[in-house]
Amino acid sequence: MAGRKLLDLLVTHSYQHSDTPSFRLASGKFSNFYIDCKMTTMRGEAMPLVGEAVFQLLPSEVQAVGGLTMGADPIANAVAYFSQSTRPRVDMFSVRKEAKQHGLRKWIEGCAKAGSRVAVVDDVVTTGGSTIDAIQKCREEELQIVAVVVLVDRQEDGGIEKIRRAVGPNVPVCAVFTRAHLEARWHETHADTPAPAHQAVAG
């Protein structure tokens, strides 16, 4: 039930569809759909649903969740908050895009330190680049990655497989939803809605 409600929120607020390739992606390619998960993950009504959905996919040994700012931040916050009502409880961390230029000059902010068993999370995976960047920086800080969970897999450019290769064969990598889930639900609920004519750039 919670999963279906979260899917509906993603379709309503985060998924846009066009009959032609109208949306320009960060890679420069054009697509006939566009997913902006932050329009859902930053909504109060979605936060407990996001927290529950991702928490359920975490191995029990996870101590903290996080990923590259800022797409991963609301997801990690939601998971950490949700976990306080159950066991095991987890904390959150955030991976900076640039290391601090002062103080400890670290990549990681929040509740993770060398040796911590962590799950790397992300909102949308296309090429897998941002998730792999987070994985590499976590390893530089000597975090022990035990899982990778993404909210939506766009099912393009082999992103999930690239993440699996980057993280290694013993670390589970999974997605809560795929593009196919969103697309099917969109067709169920928006079949008579005119397609947008504008272009959007995916971050």
Side-chain angles (χ1 to χ4, degrees), residues 15-182:
Y15 181 82
Q16 295 186 52
H17 178 89
S18 173
D19 291 334
T20 59
S22 301
F23 305 105
R24 183 166 62 87
L25 307 179
S27 64
K29 294 181 180 180
F30 282 83
S31 174
N32 68 339
F33 66 96
Y34 174 63
I35 303 171
D36 180 3
C37 279
K38 288 183 285 296
M39 291 300 295
T40 297
T41 58
M42 291 183 172
R43 291 179 178 273
E45 64 178 320
M47 289 178 183
L49 305 175
V50 171
E52 180 180 1
V54 175
F55 182 83
Q56 289 177 341
L57 297 176
L58 299 180
S60 59
E61 67 266 31
V62 170
Q63 297 172 302
V65 295
L68 195 68
T69 193
M70 62 180 294
D73 293 342
I75 296 173
N77 274 312
V79 173
Y81 188 83
F82 175 82
S83 77
Q84 301 311 299
S85 63
T86 184
R87 296 282 185 175
R89 296 176 181 176
V90 301
D91 295 316
M92 71 87 61
F93 65 93
S94 183
V95 181
R96 298 172 61 93
K97 292 183 179 178
E98 295 183 0
K100 273 187 175 180
Q101 300 304 307
H102 59 279
L104 299 178
R105 300 176 182 269
K106 59 185 180 180
W107 287 110
I108 307 297
E109 300 288 351
C111 301
K113 59 184 179 180
S116 294
R117 297 182 297 276
V118 305
V120 172
V121 296
D122 211 341
D123 55 358
V124 182
V125 165
T126 303
T127 65
S130 64
T131 313
I132 293 170
D133 187 16
I135 289 167
Q136 292 170 341
K137 288 172 179 174
C138 286
R139 285 177 168 166
E140 287 182 29
E141 297 290 337
E142 300 182 356
L143 305 186
Q144 183 182 346
I145 301 170
V146 297
V148 178
V149 181
V150 302
L151 187 58
V152 179
D153 174 15
R154 280 180 59 99
Q155 298 179 299
E156 289 184 340
D157 296 325
I160 286 288
E161 289 307 316
K162 291 175 185 175
I163 293 169
R164 289 192 173 111
R165 289 195 295 270
V167 81
N170 298 321
V171 177
V173 178
C174 58
V176 178
F177 300 109
T178 65
R179 177 200 62 194
H181 291 124
L182 272 67

